């Protein structure tokens, strides 16, 4: 009888201990579940809407562009004789660097070659080679409510000098000239990020400048519309989201 009481007591102790352990595990599981739900409910907004390729703020890009511009230029003539202008006068080539100040804003530095031309004049005979380089600095803004995380329309504006240079070879010597004029560029485009490190863009805009003090291949102003495509390599680690900082 005494042994039976001892056995019943041991069974009660074991049952109670097992019940206590199970209750503790249930409480811990519920606590973890609550923490998980709480963490999900306070996820930073920028993580919820971030690009599939990660944040761009703090990253840089180097790009090359190719395009065409309108022939909206002022013809001034070369004096007496017959003038003929040929070459890729509507072609534009460009190289640029950009840094993302934040997700929707970049600082841009660019250098574009406009209107490489060859001119020929008869009476007296001469041959000239001319080119225009635009060295511009500006901003590119991506409106946050337009497009998708991977397809981003933008507006851009920049200012800087337009530098014209020419070499004229005559029968009695060679003349070199360099002229500088202030100007800028205003435009819009679309960036398509198809890889974390690469962006393809389509852009259009207007190049504006004041007149050169001297003519180049019969012109002293190379303002006009421009359209082109751009391919860029994106590099750098980038900045963590502000809400993710400790």
């Amino acid at each position: 009888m005494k042994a039976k009481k001892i056995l019943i007591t041991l069974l009660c102790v074991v049952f109670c201990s097992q019940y206590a352990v199970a209750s503790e595990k249930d409480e811990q599981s519920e606590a973890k579940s609550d923490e998980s739900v709480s963490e999900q409910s306070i996820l930073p907004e920028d993580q919820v809407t971030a690009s599939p390729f990660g944040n761009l703020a703090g990253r840089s890009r180097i790009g090359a562009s190719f395009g065409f511009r309108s022939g909206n230029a002022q013809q001034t003539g070369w004096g007496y004789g017959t003038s003929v202008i040929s070459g890729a006068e509507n072609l534009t080539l460009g190289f640029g660097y950009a840094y993302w100040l934040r997700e929707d804003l970049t600082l841009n530095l660019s250098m574009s070659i406009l209107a490489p031309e060859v001119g020929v004049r008869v009476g007296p005979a001469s041959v000239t080679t001319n080119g225009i380089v635009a060295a511009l600095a500006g901003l590119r803004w991506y409106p946050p409510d337009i497009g998708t995380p991977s397809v981003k329309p933008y507006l851009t504006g920049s200012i800087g000098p337009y530098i014209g240079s020419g070499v004229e070879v005559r029968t009695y010597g060679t003349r070199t000239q360099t002229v500088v004029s202030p100007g800028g560029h205003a435009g819009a485009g679309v960036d398509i990020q198809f890889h974390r490190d690469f962006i393809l863009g389509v852009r259009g805009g207007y190049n504006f400048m004041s007149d050169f003090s001297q003519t180049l291949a019969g012109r002293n102003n190379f303002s006009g519309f421009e359209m082109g495509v751009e391919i860029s390599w994106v590099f750098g680690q980038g900045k963590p989201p502000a809400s993710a900082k400790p």
Side-chain angles (χ1 to χ4, degrees):
M1 186 71 177
K2 187 176 181 180
K4 185 176 180 180
K5 289 182 178 180
I6 293 173
L7 180 59
I8 292 173
T9 302
L10 290 174
L11 288 174
C12 289
V13 171
V14 171
F15 176 77
C16 291
S17 63
Q18 290 294 326
Y19 178 78
V21 170
S23 299
E24 184 178 356
K25 288 183 177 180
D26 290 341
E27 291 177 357
Q28 293 177 352
S29 177
E30 291 178 359
K32 290 181 178 179
S33 177
D34 292 340
E35 290 178 0
S36 176
V37 171
S38 177
E39 290 177 356
Q40 292 179 1
S41 64
I42 61 174
L43 277 175
E45 184 178 353
D46 51 6
Q47 289 187 10
V48 175
T49 61
S51 164
F53 302 110
N55 295 318
L56 290 171
R59 303 193 73 193
S60 300
R61 67 190 281 179
I62 295 176
S65 61
F66 170 85
F68 297 92
R69 68 177 187 88
S70 66
N72 183 19
Q74 179 179 349
Q75 298 288 340
T76 61
W78 280 6
Y80 63 95
T82 302
S83 300
V84 179
I85 300 175
S86 62
E89 58 181 296
N90 293 325
L91 176 67
T92 64
L93 299 173
F95 303 92
Y97 167 82
Y99 176 78
W100 270 272
L101 301 171
R102 60 191 194 206
E103 286 296 310
D104 63 344
L105 188 67
T106 65
L107 173 65
N108 299 327
L109 303 175
S110 66
M111 182 170 291
S112 300
I113 302 174
L114 312 176
E117 298 174 328
V118 175
V120 178
R121 183 175 68 177
V122 178
S126 67
V127 177
T128 66
T129 303
N130 305 279
I132 311 297
V133 175
L136 306 178
L139 298 173
R140 180 178 293 187
W141 176 58
Y142 300 86
D145 299 328
I146 303 177
T148 69
S150 299
V151 181
K152 299 181 178 181
Y154 64 82
L155 300 174
T156 183
S158 55
I159 58 174
Y162 282 70
I163 306 169
S165 62
V167 177
E168 183 176 8
V169 180
R170 302 179 181 179
T171 55
Y172 52 84
T174 299
R175 183 171 68 94
T176 301
Q177 64 178 141
T178 300
V179 288
V180 180
S181 175
H185 174 87
V190 178
D191 276 349
I192 303 171
Q193 187 175 11
F194 59 92
H195 185 275
R196 171 175 165 78
D197 297 331
F198 293 98
I199 293 178
L200 178 65
V202 180
R203 59 185 177 82
Y206 188 82
N207 296 307
F208 56 92
M209 59 174 289
S210 59
D211 292 346
F212 286 139
S213 59
Q214 303 177 43
T215 62
L216 290 174
R219 308 178 182 188
N220 66 356
N221 193 300
F222 290 81
S223 298
F225 289 97
E226 175 188 346
M227 294 187 67
V229 296
E230 181 180 22
I231 183 71
S232 300
W233 171 52
V234 184
F235 60 96
Q237 295 297 321
K239 301 176 182 177
S243 54
K245 293 181 180 180

